[in-house]
Amino acid sequence: MTRTVRKGVFFAAATVVAVAFAAACTGLPPFGARSHPYGDRSVAAAIHQRTANVISSINFDQRALDTLGEESILFAAVLGAVVLLRRARDEDREDPEPQWVMPSTLLLGAGLLPVTVLVGIYVVAHGQLTPGGGFQGGVVLATGLHLAYLAADYRVLRRVRPLALYGALDAVAAGSFTVLGLAGLIAGGAYLENTLPLGTFNQLSSGGLVPLVNAAVGVEVASGVIVLLAQFLDQAVEISSPPDDGQHPQEES
C-alpha cells in the first residue's frame, strides 16, 4: 500500500467518524440547560441499585462492560511493558548500592507510607459510598508503596515489593472482574448485570455487585502500577548494558 493510498483510507475513515460524531452531538442537550436526561437517569439508577456514589454506579454497574474493557487495556499495557523491558541476553543485573538519605526525608517518608496505604485502602473500600473507587484508590496504594524508594533506597522498595506476588495479584484481580460478570448469567440475567443482594443504602455492603467489582479493580490497578513502575526502575537502577565499542552494524540499503 502506497503512502497516497494510506492517506486516502485515513481521510475517508476520519470523515465518517467526524460526520457520525457531529450527528451525535446534535442530540445532546444545550449547554446551561436545566434538563439533564443522562444525569437524571444515572442518579435514579444509582439510587435504585442502592449505590450512594453515582460515579461508581456508572463505572461498575450501568456500564460495567466498558470498565471491563478499560481494565483489560491496563492489564495488556502492563503485560506489554513486562515483555518489552525484560532483561536482554547481553545485559547484566547489578545489585544497587545503598544511598544516603536525609534524616528528615526518611522520617517524612516513613510516616507517610502507612498513612498513604491506609488512605488508598479506604478509598477503594468506600468506592460505592464516597468519591473515589478502585481506579483512584489503586493509584494511591501504588504511590504509597513507592514512598519506600523515595524515603530510603531501592533495596528497601525491593524488599516490600515482591514482583511475583504483585504480578499474580494483577492477573487474579483482572480475571476476577471477568468471573464476577458470570453472576448475572447464573441468575438468569445479562453478563455483568447487578443481580446480587443490594443491601442497605449508604452502607459498606450496599450496591450488590458494585463493591466486589470495585475491589477487584482496586487490586488490579494497584498491582499493575507497581509492576509497571518496577520494570522501569529495574532498567534504571539494576540493569547495565554492555559498553558501546563504537561499532554499529551496517544499515541495509
Side-chain angles (χ1 to χ4, degrees), residues 139-171:
V139 174
V140 173
L141 282 170
T143 303
L145 186 66
H146 283 82
L147 286 173
Y149 174 63
L150 299 177
D153 61 17
Y154 185 77
R155 298 178 306 158
V156 175
L157 173 63
R158 195 169 55 182
R159 284 197 295 268
V160 300
R161 187 209 60 189
L163 280 184
L165 173 62
Y166 286 109
L169 284 175
D170 188 21

Side-chain angles (χ1 to χ4, degrees), residues 7 20 22 24 28 40 45 51 57 72 74 87 103 109 111-112 114 116 121 146 167 176 200 208 210 229 251:
K7 286 183 178 180
L28 294 174
D40 295 340
T51 306
S57 176
S72 301
L74 174 61
R87 187 176 63 169
L112 285 178
T116 307
I121 295 174
H146 283 82
S176 297
T200 304
V210 172
L229 292 178
E251 294 184 358

Side-chain angles (χ1 to χ4, degrees), residues 46 86 178 202:
R86 68 188 186 278
T178 306
N202 210 27

Side-chain angles (χ1 to χ4, degrees), residues 95-123:
D95 194 37
E97 297 292 333
Q99 301 293 327
W100 181 82
V101 180
M102 294 178 58
S104 58
T105 303
L106 178 59
L107 178 63
L108 182 62
L112 285 178
L113 194 154
V115 174
T116 307
V117 172
L118 182 61
V119 170
I121 295 174
Y122 179 89
V123 172

